[in-house]
Amino acid sequence: MRSEVVKKGIDRVAHRALLKSLGVLDEDLEKPFIGIANAYSTIVPGHINLDKITNAVKEGVYSAGGVPFDFGIIGICDGIAMGHRGMLFSLPSREIVADSIECMVEAHGFDGLVVVASCDKIVPGMLMAMLRLNIPAIAVTGGPMLSEKVRGEKVSIKDAFEASGQYKAGKISESELKLYEDFCAPYCGSCQGLYTANTMQILTETLGLSLPYCSTSPSASSRKLRIAKMSGKRVVELVKAEIRPLDIVNERSFDNAVTMDMMIGGSTNTVLHLPAIAKEAGIKLGIEKFDEISKKTPHIVSLDPASKDTVVDLDESGGVPMIIKKMKKYFSNEMTVSGKRLYEIAENAVLRGRDIIMAEKPYRNEGGIAILKGNLAKSAVVKVSAIREDMLKFEGEARVFDGEESALKAILNNEISEGDIVVIRYMGPKGAPGMPEMLLPTAAIAGMGLQKVALVTDGRFSGATRGPCIGHVVPEAIEGGIIGLLKDGDLISIDIPARKLEVELSEEEMNSRKEKWRPPKKELRGYLSRYSKLVLSAEDGAILI
């Protein structure tokens, strides 16, 4: 066992003394040591219940003959960080999560690892660590939040973000605004819709790194605790059998994850996270793979923000196993941490509620995410599943902003008109830095009732964003990308079926603007200063060199 390096031999007397100060018994020294990376905190709604879930994992470890040691991991709530300086730290925190788990596991010689988290960058960071370390490991994802109703309709956190625009547009009263504030996030768990947190949990299960139904079982449910306990037992079995993540995950596993992403219309942030996770496994997952799979994969599940259904509704429809059961021909039959292959798990899928998995009548014949290219972008990403059919092709004049705050102010002050294309630049991994999400502007556009407005940015979007919102523009503005040369009034055309993003500018005009362009300078310090120097492009998953 790896842990023998800290507990065996005459020269480890002091080590054993320190372990015994933690309550470790003599007989425990013969058992596997299991590290539990626990992202519990009292600032993240998706994580406030993780203490109970982690306790269930520990019970499972004990019952299987292991010794659990839990340690803390940071986690940023994107919703609370949204719209101010805090969002600059969100994506960069993914690398800290991965690095800190690596430090803890290597320093303490754990034999196995359980990672416990719910939210956006934390789950990807934990999966990166699992594959990098490649010791027996399993993920326990915290699960989705339940919903309540406002004005007779089920609401989610997306509705709270959009309520500000509705109030500003005179569509709801101040007392109704307060209802959205009070009831849009009523329980613990990751926010209800198919935003980044829930998308990544579903893809973790699809990759085979968590037990069946872990991703969709609600955070506060007894089933979540049972799955957590089973996961604790299972990791000890993995240690004894010497089964590691790279014995389970391979290139076909990532193809399965991208396929699932396209079927459910997941968050565009997966185009950042899956390549970063794959890299830790020695697998190159290029951005072209997303479009390749999207073109041959139907979109069969429509969840909030594309509909009023939530991840809990998907759970009642049979969750990940039911999707694979119905769409078996699209998935490769890979192994999972449960010891069963995907098809075997899928065979036992059970429908408990409404069936929202539209295998026979897909919403679209192509997947929920598309990669656009053209003279405005070497590549850009859009969530097709959250766009109305009449906006899949769109042409409009640019309204250009060098930051989110000025764009949001213009939207809320009725300075944006139907037919405009809002451009928010210098928001990329290097330019912002940290590639912040643009949920406040997109929510304001929806809340103000603007139906024919698109948004283009070198930043990224929350999974809660809906409408023709194109992000991840590469090259980003700070790197000399064409998005940095745009001016108000430039004619931009978006053709999602044709995968095109173009600006109507002559080569002569482009060259003239390039000669005059100078990158803006930002005074940076601390982590963001180091991050901006080391981060690669969005197309490369915004990983660090």
Side-chain angles (χ1 to χ4, degrees), residues 71 141 147 149 151 177 233 240 380 394 452 468 506 525:
F71 54 91
T141 52
S147 295
K149 293 182 178 180
R151 299 203 290 182
L177 183 66
K233 292 181 66 176
K240 292 177 179 177
F394 184 64
K452 295 280 187 178
S506 67
R525 54 193 298 242

Side-chain angles (χ1 to χ4, degrees), residues 376 391 393-401 411 416-424 445 452-457 468-470 483 486-495 501-503:
L376 183 46
M391 288 296 286
K393 291 184 179 181
F394 184 64
E395 189 174 86
E397 292 188 357
R399 293 293 312 278
V400 182
F401 302 92
I411 295 164
I416 302 299
S417 304
E418 298 284 10
D420 286 344
I421 295 181
V422 177
V423 177
I424 308 179
I445 288 169
K452 295 280 187 178
V453 171
L455 194 150
V456 176
T457 180
C469 300
I470 298 165
I483 189 172
L486 297 180
K487 294 181 179 179
D488 283 352
D490 286 345
L491 193 64
I492 295 173
S493 61
I494 300 165
D495 188 338
L501 179 62
E502 303 272 354
V503 58

Side-chain angles (χ1 to χ4, degrees), residues 68-125:
F69 299 89
D70 61 306
F71 54 91
I73 295 296
I74 67 164
I76 290 173
C77 176
D78 277 15
I80 296 173
M82 195 74 65
H84 57 89
R85 177 174 167 77
M87 182 46 71
L88 300 180
F89 292 86
S90 175
L91 181 60
S93 73
R94 183 187 70 185
E95 317 309 310
I96 294 177
V97 169
D99 293 350
S100 61
I101 294 173
E102 179 188 9
C103 290
M104 290 296 288
V105 169
E106 295 289 20
H108 299 104
F110 293 128
D111 300 301
L113 174 67
V114 182
V115 298
V116 185
S118 290
C119 292
D120 299 33
K121 274 71 46 211
I122 303 92
V123 171

Side-chain angles (χ1 to χ4, degrees), residues 87-312:
M87 182 46 71
L88 300 180
F89 292 86
S90 175
L91 181 60
S93 73
R94 183 187 70 185
E95 317 309 310
I96 294 177
V97 169
D99 293 350
S100 61
I101 294 173
E102 179 188 9
C103 290
M104 290 296 288
V105 169
E106 295 289 20
H108 299 104
F110 293 128
D111 300 301
L113 174 67
V114 182
V115 298
V116 185
S118 290
C119 292
D120 299 33
K121 274 71 46 211
I122 303 92
V123 171
M126 287 185 162
L127 298 185
M128 289 166 67
M130 283 176 66
L131 297 180
R132 181 188 304 173
L133 290 161
N134 197 33
I135 65 171
I138 192 166
V140 178
T141 52
M145 181 186 292
L146 301 171
S147 295
E148 289 195 357
K149 293 182 178 180
V150 171
R151 299 203 290 182
E153 284 197 336
K154 189 162 54 177
V155 291
S156 70
I157 194 65
K158 168 200 58 119
D159 298 291
F161 277 104
E162 294 183 2
S164 298
Q166 290 182 309
Y167 176 71
K168 191 80 174 178
K171 295 181 178 181
I172 59 174
S173 66
E174 190 171 349
S175 61
E176 287 176 305
L177 183 66
K178 183 67 161 55
L179 284 175
Y180 285 102
E181 181 179 319
D182 290 344
F183 291 98
C184 281
Y187 299 98
C188 62
S190 50
C191 297
Q192 305 96 323
L194 195 61
Y195 317 147
T196 309
N198 282 320
T199 302
M200 285 309 308
Q201 293 187 56
I202 288 169
L203 300 191
T204 299
E205 185 177 331
T206 307
L207 281 168
L209 294 175
S210 62
L211 293 185
Y213 303 102
C214 189
S215 63
T216 57
S217 58
S219 179
S221 67
S222 62
R223 183 162 57 124
K224 177 62 68 180
L225 296 179
R226 296 196 301 274
I227 291 171
K229 189 171 183 177
M230 289 188 290
S231 298
K233 292 181 66 176
R234 182 59 184 157
V235 76
V236 177
E237 294 169 358
L238 292 172
V239 169
K240 292 177 179 177
E242 298 184 353
I243 298 173
R244 297 171 175 81
L246 295 185
D247 297 324
I248 294 166
V249 171
N250 54 43
E251 190 171 348
R252 294 181 300 279
S253 306
F254 280 96
D255 286 351
N256 282 342
V258 176
T259 298
M260 180 64 72
D261 198 13
M262 297 306 159
M263 285 186 179
I264 62 178
S267 166
T268 51
N269 284 315
T270 58
V271 183
L272 294 171
H273 297 319
L274 284 176
I277 297 163
K279 183 178 182 295
E280 300 292 350
I283 295 168
K284 179 170 175 53
L285 181 61
I287 197 169
E288 64 282 350
K289 175 69 75 171
F290 288 83
D291 214 42
E292 174 192 322
I293 291 178
S294 180
K295 287 177 178 176
K296 62 184 181 184
T297 305
H299 172 216
I300 62 168
V301 175
S302 181
L303 300 179
D304 181 84
S307 77
K308 283 295 181 181
D309 287 327
T310 66
V311 175
V312 173

